[in-house]
Each structure stands twice: as C-alpha cells, then as structure tokens.
Amino acid sequence: MTKHRLYTTAFSSVYPLYVKKAERKGRTKQEVDTIIRWLTGYSEQQLSTLSQDTTTFETFFAEAPDMQERRSLIKGVVCGVRVEYVEEPLMREIRYLDKLIDELAKGKTLEKILR
C-alpha cells in the first residue's frame, strides 16, 4: 500500500499555509506556533528549525517529543471528515492540527482551542 502523499510532504511546505490562514483572519504566527507546540511538545527552537527544513509530516509527528494527551478531545469536521473518526493514526494527528488551526482562524481563543 502506498503512503498518502501528505505523509511525505515537508512540514515546512505546509507551515506557511497555516500561518497565512491564521493571519488572513487577524491571528498571529505566534498563536499558530503556540498551537503546534501544545500539540506536539516541540520547543520554539525545534519548531523554527522544522519550519525551514525538509522533515516530512510522517517524521514530524513520529519524532514529536511530547504529543498532547488531551488531543483526543479534539472533535469536529475537517475537509468533510470528522477528525474523531479518522482511523489511520498519522492522518488523525494531521487532521487534529488542521482542526486546531481552523478553530484559530474562526476566532476561538487559545484557551478554548488548547482544551
């Protein structure tokens, strides 16, 4: 079975899209970084490096230092699919991140996003 194309996509190629989406809605890069660091446990310096190198999404999540235990509380629809029903573990992690960025762009406060 072939891997989903997103798994082999560089995190650094998608990261600017997350930031751009948030900024279009009046949010900041710092808020995007806070969400990513909360979800994955990466430090500010590690995230800065990852946002510029060729690390794939697969490696990004596989090497995350401390995945947030409460991420299973993230519910809702991303790309027409309920994140809580995504069976493939890596795709679920990616959709969790997508959902959190969506919530930021929709105006939710960080306190509510970071369950």
Side-chain angles (χ1 to χ4, degrees), residues 4-26:
H4 191 284
R5 183 175 53 120
L6 189 53
Y7 298 173
T8 58
T9 299
F11 172 77
S12 62
S13 68
V14 178
Y15 174 77
L17 302 175
Y18 289 144
V19 173
K20 188 175 183 178
K21 181 176 190 169
E23 289 178 341
R24 273 195 322 260
K25 300 294 185 168

Side-chain angles (χ1 to χ4, degrees), residues 6 34 38-40 46 73 79 81 94 100 102 110:
L6 189 53
T34 298
W38 175 85
L39 181 64
T40 62
Q46 289 169 316
L73 298 176
C79 299
V81 178
I94 294 169
L100 295 175
D102 281 356
L110 280 179

Side-chain angles (χ1 to χ4, degrees), residues 4-7 61 83 86-98:
H4 191 284
R5 183 175 53 120
L6 189 53
Y7 298 173
F61 283 105
V83 295
V86 175
E87 290 187 27
E88 169 60 37
L90 178 55
M91 185 57 77
R92 188 176 330 113
E93 301 297 350
I94 294 169
R95 295 302 178 205
Y96 283 155
L97 178 54
D98 291 346

Side-chain angles (χ1 to χ4, degrees), residues 44-87:
E44 199 170 323
Q45 179 58 46
Q46 289 169 316
L47 183 56
S48 177
T49 300
L50 289 164
S51 69
Q52 298 173 32
D53 69 14
T54 60
T55 301
T56 65
F57 263 109
E58 185 172 38
T59 303
F60 176 81
F61 283 105
E63 295 180 357
D66 187 23
M67 288 300 292
Q68 177 55 245
E69 292 177 10
R70 296 188 318 259
R71 69 189 182 279
S72 63
L73 298 176
I74 300 168
K75 309 280 187 224
V77 178
V78 173
C79 299
V81 178
R82 294 203 67 78
V83 295
E84 59 268 30
Y85 298 143
V86 175
E87 290 187 27

